């Protein structure tokens, strides 16, 4: 089966038409930040490709042989809201499970199991990350996704536990931690006992904020060209200016319109049919 335009979840580079995720950020700059032991934020609107990019970063770092990199989506801890113990337990378990699933750091499951018997989570994340860095034979890099989904005291605890280990890096704490979400950490508004603590003050060790943008017009053309190269199906050139005006390159919208044109319409599934502007307008 030919590849197709993806509108659900991270990109599978074998199954989906895609733009190289690392080309969508300044990968050279990010590598420099990691090499310099920096903690930073990657943020972008929903359905822009953040998770795909983080997974690609993790893979690239691990394949380089220089780092032990791990990705974890901690959105599930949102349900705990201000229950710090429950929230941090979910965060720690998620990290341990991801380490096990990726065969990255199986020791983290053992550390989590030991923490669960003690049932003390106020400093558990900091302790887990410290042990991970100590036993790893390579500098550790952690990508935490959906951080800004966390709420209140749980978010404060997460940020402060990371901050508490910062001075111990890289020998006894991850060399670099990347927080990812819709918002920059400085835009977090965390309520604690009636007071509002900004994310910046709870995580003032952040060195940079990296923002992912939309596709440019050249990338949109490249995405559609991949379909033409694989199937021979052509597109009327007038489509692309209208597509740009309608989407401004928002990745999900671009993929959704392409999918609507090429896969939802049975007539357009005949690959010797040129896709015209009218087909685009119908989609």
């Amino acid at each position: 089966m030919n590849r197709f335009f993806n509108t659900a979840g991270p990109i599978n580079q074998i199954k989906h038409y895609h733009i190289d995720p690392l080309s969508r950020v300044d990968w050279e700059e990010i590598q420099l930040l990691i090499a310099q032991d920096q903690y930073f934020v990657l943020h972008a609107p929903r359905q822009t490709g953040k998770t795909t990019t983080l997974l690609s970063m993790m893979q690239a770092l691990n394949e380089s042989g220089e780092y032990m990199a791990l990705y974890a989506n901690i959105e599930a801890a949102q349900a705990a809201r201000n229950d710090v113990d429950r929230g941090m337990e979910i965060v720690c378990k998620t990290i341990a499970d991801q380490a096990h699933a990726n065969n990255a750091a199986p020791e983290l499951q053992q550390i989590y199991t030991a923490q669960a018997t003690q049932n003390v989570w106020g400093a558990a994340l900091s302790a887990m990350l410290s042990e991970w860095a100590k036993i790893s034979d390579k500098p550790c890099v952690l990508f935490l996704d959906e951080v800004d989904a966390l709420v209140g005291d749980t978010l404060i605890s997460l940020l402060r536990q990371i901050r508490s280990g910062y001075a111990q890096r890289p020998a006894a704490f991850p060399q670099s931690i990347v927080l990812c979400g819709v918002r920059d950490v400085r835009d977090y508004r965390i309520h604690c006992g009636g007071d509002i603590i900004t994310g910046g003050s709870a995580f003032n060790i952040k060195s940079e904020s990296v923002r992912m943008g939309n596709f440019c017009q050249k990338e949109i053309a490249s995405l559609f060209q991949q379909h033409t190269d694989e199937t021979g199906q052509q597109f009327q050139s007038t489509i692309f200016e209208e597509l740009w005006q309608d989407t401004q390159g928002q990745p999900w919208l671009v993929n959704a319109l392409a999918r609507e044109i090429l896969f939802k319409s049975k007539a357009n599934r005949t690959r010797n049919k040129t896709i015209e502007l009218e087909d685009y307008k119908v989609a």
Side-chain angles (χ1 to χ4, degrees), residues 200-220:
S201 66
F203 195 68
N204 57 10
I205 54 176
K206 178 198 75 169
S207 66
E208 296 283 346
S209 293
V210 179
R211 188 184 187 281
M212 281 187 62
N214 291 336
F215 292 149
C216 65
Q217 289 176 282
K218 183 178 179 181
E219 288 171 327
I220 294 175

Side-chain angles (χ1 to χ4, degrees), residues 83-144:
D83 185 342
V84 173
D85 285 349
R86 178 59 181 150
M88 296 315 301
E89 179 184 6
I90 293 171
V91 169
C92 290
K93 186 177 189 306
T94 300
I95 293 172
D97 287 347
Q98 285 298 311
H100 177 72
N102 289 283
N103 198 27
E107 303 88 354
L108 289 183
Q109 284 243 302
Q110 300 170 11
I111 295 169
Y112 167 76
T113 300
Q115 290 173 331
T117 60
Q118 299 170 17
N119 199 32
V120 178
W121 299 101
L125 176 63
S126 180
M128 171 184 276
L129 297 183
S130 179
E131 286 301 311
W132 178 35
K134 289 176 184 177
I135 62 181
S136 176
D137 60 354
K138 300 173 184 176
C140 297
V141 179
L142 179 63
F143 297 96
L144 289 180

Side-chain angles (χ1 to χ4, degrees), residues 221-250:
S222 172
L223 200 64
F224 278 71
Q225 185 62 42
Q226 290 174 39
H227 177 76
T228 298
D229 292 343
E230 289 200 12
T231 68
Q233 190 163 33
Q234 302 290 322
F235 297 91
Q236 195 176 58
S237 60
T238 51
I239 289 174
F240 295 105
E241 181 59 35
E242 191 135 348
L243 177 63
W244 174 254
Q245 293 299 325
D246 288 342
T247 68
Q248 294 296 299
Q250 204 286 329

Side-chain angles (χ1 to χ4, degrees), residues 3-276:
R3 291 186 296 168
F4 55 93
F5 290 89
N6 179 47
T7 57
I11 290 291
N12 180 318
Q13 298 191 25
I14 296 174
K15 294 182 176 181
H16 302 144
Y17 299 126
H18 65 278
I19 303 300
D20 176 11
L22 297 184
S23 73
R24 300 193 55 219
V25 293
D26 190 338
W27 179 227
E28 183 178 346
E29 181 68 19
I30 288 174
Q31 288 176 286
L32 180 61
L33 291 172
I34 292 170
Q36 293 177 342
D37 305 353
Q38 301 298 310
Y39 286 18
F40 58 99
V41 174
L42 175 70
H43 65 105
R46 294 262 177 225
Q47 297 179 308
T48 308
K50 299 185 297 298
T51 298
T52 297
T53 301
L54 292 178
L55 290 170
S56 295
M57 288 180 186
M58 177 187 72
Q59 181 179 354
L61 291 176
N62 285 331
E63 289 179 350
S64 75
E66 297 180 25
Y67 301 99
M68 173 60 71
L70 181 64
Y71 164 90
N73 183 320
I74 59 174
E75 184 177 14
Q78 181 186 45
R81 303 191 71 79
N82 284 305
D83 185 342
V84 173
D85 285 349
R86 178 59 181 150
M88 296 315 301
E89 179 184 6
I90 293 171
V91 169
C92 290
K93 186 177 189 306
T94 300
I95 293 172
D97 287 347
Q98 285 298 311
H100 177 72
N102 289 283
N103 198 27
E107 303 88 354
L108 289 183
Q109 284 243 302
Q110 300 170 11
I111 295 169
Y112 167 76
T113 300
Q115 290 173 331
T117 60
Q118 299 170 17
N119 199 32
V120 178
W121 299 101
L125 176 63
S126 180
M128 171 184 276
L129 297 183
S130 179
E131 286 301 311
W132 178 35
K134 289 176 184 177
I135 62 181
S136 176
D137 60 354
K138 300 173 184 176
C140 297
V141 179
L142 179 63
F143 297 96
L144 289 180
D145 201 1
E146 299 288 355
V147 171
D148 57 344
L150 273 57
V151 176
D153 291 342
T154 299
L155 179 54
I156 293 172
S157 180
L158 174 85
L159 297 176
R160 287 182 171 166
Q161 286 192 60
I162 293 174
R163 187 173 68 177
S164 72
Y166 179 75
Q168 303 170 47
R169 77 198 196 290
F173 216 68
Q175 173 166 315
S176 183
I177 294 180
V178 183
L179 304 184
C180 185
V182 173
R183 295 169 292 164
D184 190 355
V185 68
R186 68 169 179 257
D187 298 323
Y188 297 175
R189 292 295 180 266
I190 310 168
H191 293 262
C192 181
D195 296 325
I196 296 179
I197 302 174
T198 63
S201 66
F203 195 68
N204 57 10
I205 54 176
K206 178 198 75 169
S207 66
E208 296 283 346
S209 293
V210 179
R211 188 184 187 281
M212 281 187 62
N214 291 336
F215 292 149
C216 65
Q217 289 176 282
K218 183 178 179 181
E219 288 171 327
I220 294 175
S222 172
L223 200 64
F224 278 71
Q225 185 62 42
Q226 290 174 39
H227 177 76
T228 298
D229 292 343
E230 289 200 12
T231 68
Q233 190 163 33
Q234 302 290 322
F235 297 91
Q236 195 176 58
S237 60
T238 51
I239 289 174
F240 295 105
E241 181 59 35
E242 191 135 348
L243 177 63
W244 174 254
Q245 293 299 325
D246 288 342
T247 68
Q248 294 296 299
Q250 204 286 329
W252 185 88
L253 278 175
V254 171
N255 277 279
L257 282 166
R259 185 178 177 86
E260 189 75 21
I261 297 169
L262 297 167
F263 296 94
K264 293 296 182 69
S265 167
K266 290 184 179 180
N268 294 344
R269 292 179 198 169
T270 303
R271 298 311 182 198
N272 60 4
K273 179 186 184 304
T274 297
I275 303 301
E276 300 181 351

